[in-house]
Amino acid sequence: MSDDHTHVQEFFTARAADWDDRFPDDGPAYEAAARELGLRRGDRVLDAGCGTGRALTPLRAAVGPSGTVVGVDLTMAMLEAAVGAGRDRDGRLVLADVAALPLRSASLDAVFAAGLVAHLPRPADNLRELARVVRPGGTLALFHPIGRAALAARQGRQITPQDLRAEPNLAPLLSRSGWRMTSYVDEDSRFLALAVREDRQGLSDGAVREHGA
């Protein structure tokens, strides 16, 4: 996938208004996945590629009023849908690219990412950027409300050995990007890979950016 995000933006812009209506039963799966992050009261968490913000409410419930929840998405129409659903009350919404987050290094405790990996233009670099903004020992959840086989069937395609979400591919990808995979579940009812942020050695912090988290 190229770094030109036009196709991704066009795809999600066209579907933003009825996205939640297309998947009305996903709420419990999001809630369960958010709990798997092990968040505590007062923690700071990013929903990367937040879409219509379905994870924001369970993430807010986990970190409480003293915590920080930020939702970042590339598509304005998705963020507008999140506002229309009232989910901006649970987290700050930011129009931004996960490849260049407007957040300071090591400023977060966790990242939640639903359906994100397949849309990353440069997966290793982009996952490294997520690692940059998380403190050592912080956590990452790569989630989808249905598993790879069920998703492929829904889309009328076959799973290929090159699928980045396959465990033999995802574990080394995460390792190269500053994460250590700790758990992997791929079943019809959900996909969830959990990882822990390794120490800062070998990761470039880049410029420290102004942030509102």
Side-chain angles (χ1 to χ4, degrees):
M1 187 181 295
S2 72
D3 288 327
D4 181 2
H5 298 302
T6 303
H7 174 71
V8 172
Q9 288 173 314
E10 289 177 349
F11 178 90
F12 285 107
T13 295
R15 293 161 175 80
D18 66 347
W19 188 262
D20 287 353
D21 294 334
R22 296 175 63 198
F23 309 106
D25 301 322
D26 287 349
Y30 274 79
E31 293 167 8
R35 288 195 296 269
E36 294 276 0
L37 273 172
L39 294 167
R40 298 171 296 181
R41 298 285 174 171
D43 275 355
R44 301 159 68 91
V45 59
L46 169 69
D47 185 358
C50 66
T52 62
R54 287 178 292 176
L56 297 179
T57 299
L59 292 174
R60 169 58 66 192
V63 303
S66 64
T68 298
V69 179
V70 180
V72 167
D73 203 273
L74 187 66
T75 305
M76 178 59 76
M78 281 290 195
L79 296 179
E80 290 171 347
V83 172
R87 293 171 183 143
D88 56 319
R89 294 190 294 266
D90 293 313
R92 179 182 177 186
L93 299 175
V94 179
L95 181 67
D97 186 349
V98 298
L101 290 166
L103 299 168
R104 289 179 180 161
S105 299
S107 61
L108 301 173
D109 297 291
V111 174
F112 184 92
L116 181 68
V117 173
H119 300 291
L120 296 178
R122 291 176 290 128
D125 290 341
N126 303 150
L127 289 168
R128 189 174 295 113
E129 173 67 355
L130 295 181
R132 180 187 68 78
V133 300
V134 175
R135 62 169 175 78
T139 52
L140 168 70
L142 299 177
F143 166 73
H144 200 282
I146 60 175
R148 293 189 306 128
L151 181 61
R154 175 189 288 177
Q155 298 173 341
R157 60 177 178 82
Q158 299 290 323
I159 296 177
T160 68
Q162 291 75 37
D163 186 346
L164 288 178
R165 290 160 295 186
E167 187 172 9
N169 299 330
L170 186 59
L173 172 63
L174 287 167
S175 181
R176 293 195 302 272
S177 306
W179 301 95
R180 175 174 54 83
M181 193 163 74
T182 58
S183 177
Y184 182 91
V185 176
D186 181 17
E187 53 196 21
D188 283 350
S189 60
R190 68 169 178 166
F191 174 91
L192 182 64
L194 299 175
V196 172
R197 166 74 154 84
E198 300 280 37
D199 65 31
R200 300 172 68 85
Q201 185 175 358
L203 289 177
S204 173
D205 288 335
V208 175
R209 300 173 174 89
E210 184 70 18
H211 75 101

